[in-house]
Structure formats: structure tokens, C-alpha cells
Amino acid sequence: MSIVMTIELVTDFLFWCCIINYAVLMIWFLVFKFAHKQIYQLHQHWFELTPVQFDCLHYGGMAFYKLSIFLFNLAPYLALLIIR
């Protein structure tokens, strides 16, 4: 069985990648916001981080993840929508 890669298929694929990745980002943010203390205590067992360092790492990770979604999912999706 072979799958023919059409523009429509790739566009749909990138659309669902965006949805899934933004859902992961939102879950990460919500868990970080509402369970901050528990997550920090869990990581405190493994790493010697101050709360400020912990927050900076998570916010930096979220920013990197958001930029990655934009560059690798959203921008190609929008480009394919334009050329369709």
C-alpha cells in the first residue's frame, strides 16, 4: 500500500500537528500554573534548582516549544494554504 503525498494530505497533516502541539503546550502551561509547587518538589529531588531557575527553565522551554511549533508546523501549513 502506497500513500500519495498530495498538497491536501500534507496540509491536513500539518494542521493536525499544530492542533496536537498547541494542546501539549496548553497542558504543559496549565499543569505548570496549577501544580507548580508539586512539580517543583518532584524536580527538587533530582536537581538543585531555585524556584526562579525552575521557572526560567520552564518558561524558556515553553517559548522554545512555541517557536518550534510556529517554524515547523504553522508556517509551512500557512504557506501550503496560500499556494493551494
Side-chain angles (χ1 to χ4, degrees), residues 4-5 36 44 46 55 65 74 78:
V4 178
M5 295 295 286
H36 182 273
Q44 191 64 18
W46 300 317
D55 290 348
Y65 192 67
L74 189 59
L78 293 174

Side-chain angles (χ1 to χ4, degrees), residues 3 5 13 19 31 38-39 46-47 51 66-67 73 83:
I3 298 175
M5 295 295 286
F13 174 76
I19 297 297
V31 169
Q38 293 86 350
I39 297 171
W46 300 317
F47 308 105
K66 188 190 307 185
L67 284 171
N73 295 135
I83 66 169

Side-chain angles (χ1 to χ4, degrees), residues 14 18 69-82:
L14 289 172
C18 286
I69 294 169
F70 180 77
L71 290 173
F72 297 116
N73 295 135
L74 189 59
Y77 171 72
L78 293 174
L80 286 174
L81 283 181
I82 291 169

Side-chain angles (χ1 to χ4, degrees), residues 57-69:
L57 285 170
H58 273 276
Y59 285 124
M62 284 186 236
F64 177 75
Y65 192 67
K66 188 190 307 185
L67 284 171
S68 297
I69 294 169

